[in-house]
Amino acid sequence: MNPIVNVASVTKSYNKNIVLNDVNLIIEKGQIYGLIGPSGAGKTTLVKIIVGMENADKGSINVLGKKMPDLEVLQDIGYMSQSDALYSELTGEENLKFFASLFKLNKIYQKERIEYAARLVNLTDELKKKVSAYSGGMKRRLSLGIALIQNPSVLILDEPTVGIDPELRFSIWNELRRLKEKEGKTIIVTTHVMDEAIKCDVLAMVRNGLVLTSGTPKDLMESYSVSNLEDVFLKAGGKQL
Ligand code: ADP
């Protein structure tokens, strides 16, 4: 099997603080792969290294068979960072158009993708408003829409549902599942909440830069003889999330 994402022996320090310690991950096509761990565990640093925004001190990253960072592969990754990178003086629609134009989508396809992205994150009726008038949750939703704009085959979403109400969270997760099942997309998602972790196909539990354990939620609960993921995390060496 050719993994879609292969993280091999990645180590990273900031000012002598080890933030990632020999991290290895193999992510196959069509998986929703969850990175779960408390704040400060190293999840954001890891996804930034995967998308080439940070360099690892040691180790290597391959995405879609290419050593990262690779310009061509980057075009096929939809990345949603934890901080919203939006133009606040532009409307929601103008932001979506701007990012669509970066990928040189033709006008008809651009329109289709903007409609799709806005519908997915329930912003269709708010598209004409300036982003400066958006709430925090609306900005998160717009960022998620932007991550999907060019129809990438790999999605890397850093805490995508923080600040989003339960109903929309539910529909976003349904859509992630549909994208995986019907379109074969590979999705990496970071979270610190267990009710999202359980929806992932495979999980890596991270704490202090170490992958404590990984596997499907079911296998993890079975191998630690517990009935919930919180207890897996505790038994694997984590602390209360
Ligand atoms: P998480 O996403 O799991 O909350 P992060 O990857 O954001 O974790 O952070 C992991 C650790 O790395 C934290 O202790 C954080 O303070 C530190 N860190 C992250 N980015 C930097 C940076 N640019 N400079 C120094 N320390 C950093």
Side-chain angles (χ1 to χ4, degrees), residues 14-15 17-20 37-46 48 54 82 158-159 190 206:
Y14 287 116
N15 318 315
N17 279 337
I18 298 181
V19 173
L20 295 172
S39 179
K43 307 179 298 295
T44 295
T45 306
L46 181 56
K48 280 187 177 167
E54 290 277 355
Q82 228 177 66
D158 198 357
E159 302 258 14
T190 74
V206 191

Side-chain angles (χ1 to χ4, degrees), residues 192-205:
H192 60 270
V193 291
M194 291 299 176
D195 67 341
E196 293 195 340
I198 195 90
K199 296 181 182 185
C200 297
D201 299 313
V202 183
L203 285 174
M205 294 191 167

Side-chain angles (χ1 to χ4, degrees), residues 5 7 10-15 17-23 25 35-58 60-61 68 79-83 156-159 188-191 206-211:
V5 178
V7 174
V10 163
T11 295
K12 171 82 180 171
S13 299
Y14 287 116
N15 318 315
N17 279 337
I18 298 181
V19 173
L20 295 172
N21 192 351
D22 193 27
V23 171
L25 303 175
L35 298 172
I36 181 145
S39 179
K43 307 179 298 295
T44 295
T45 306
L46 181 56
V47 295
K48 280 187 177 167
I49 290 175
I50 296 173
V51 298
M53 287 175 62
E54 290 277 355
N55 285 324
D57 299 334
K58 279 193 215 146
S60 66
I61 309 277
M68 294 298 283
Y79 170 57
M80 176 184 177
S81 73
Q82 228 177 66
S83 49
I156 300 183
L157 310 174
D158 198 357
E159 302 258 14
I188 301 178
V189 61
T190 74
T191 182
V206 191
R207 180 171 171 253
N208 286 346
L210 286 170
V211 175

